Amino acid sequence: MKIQEKIRFMRELKNCSQEELAEKLGMSTYGYAKIERGETKATIPKLEQIAEALEIDMMELLTFGEKNVACLIGDNNQNHQDSTHIIKSETETSFELQKQQLIIEHLQTLLAQKEKENEYLQELLAMQKRLQQQQKQE
């Protein structure tokens, strides 16, 4: 299940309309609807806000509908608390992977913005050089 499907399902489960949730998030209904349709990528902070608005844990939102697998490894010769190691479940691993993917997507967006800003600044610099050359010629 995609994150936008999980968000919509959890919103509907809470009997909350898009308008109500958008208001809680301080967004327009149109902007929120774009998140549910998958047209806008939800950042980690936005997912945290959505989970908070839905009164659920972000982990619950991200892992809804996922399989839960936990492995316990123990050594009978030691104290139970010291000898039990919890290996990350498939759900936790999936959550971490989704979180890292969102972070990467966000960083790629920031990088693209920086590249556009850089191009714009280079254009401004070129224009300024042309103006200086014109002024020298006059």
Side-chain angles (χ1 to χ4, degrees):
M1 186 180 283
K2 294 181 180 179
I3 188 65
Q4 65 264 22
E5 295 168 338
K6 293 176 184 184
I7 292 169
R8 180 179 179 194
F9 185 87
M10 293 303 280
R11 176 184 57 77
E12 290 174 348
L13 190 65
K14 298 283 185 171
N15 293 319
C16 185
S17 69
Q18 285 186 340
E19 292 82 8
E20 292 169 331
L21 192 53
E23 186 178 323
K24 286 181 180 180
L25 297 170
M27 299 177 68
S28 70
T29 303
Y30 178 74
Y32 173 76
K34 286 177 73 172
I35 291 173
E36 275 195 13
R37 289 191 304 267
E39 295 172 9
T40 299
K41 300 270 184 191
T43 62
I44 298 292
K46 185 57 71 181
L47 288 173
E48 289 173 340
Q49 288 177 338
I50 291 169
E52 185 176 320
L54 291 171
E55 299 175 350
I56 59 173
D57 184 69
M58 187 169 152
M59 181 81 160
E60 183 181 353
L61 176 64
L62 291 176
T63 60
F64 176 77
E66 304 291 327
K67 295 178 185 174
N68 291 319
V69 178
C71 298
L72 300 176
I73 300 173
D75 180 356
N76 294 333
N77 296 330
Q78 295 179 347
N79 181 325
H80 180 68
Q81 285 183 332
D82 294 337
S83 64
T84 303
H85 304 283
I86 300 175
I87 299 175
K88 284 191 175 186
S89 70
E90 183 179 333
T91 301
E92 289 173 316
T93 303
S94 176
F95 169 75
E96 288 297 323
L97 181 59
Q98 287 177 353
K99 181 178 172 183
Q100 294 303 318
Q101 287 171 335
L102 286 170
I103 290 170
I104 289 168
E105 288 172 8
H106 182 65
L107 290 174
Q108 287 172 335
T109 301
L110 290 175
L111 183 58
Q113 288 174 346
K114 291 289 183 187
E115 288 172 357
K116 286 180 183 178
E117 288 176 18
N118 206 11
E119 289 172 8
Y120 177 70
L121 290 172
Q122 288 175 351
E123 288 176 19
L124 286 175
L125 184 58
M127 287 174 55
Q128 186 173 4
K129 286 181 181 180
R130 284 194 299 266
L131 284 173
Q132 287 175 349
Q133 288 176 352
Q134 288 176 353
Q135 288 175 350
K136 286 181 184 177
Q137 291 175 356
E138 294 176 358

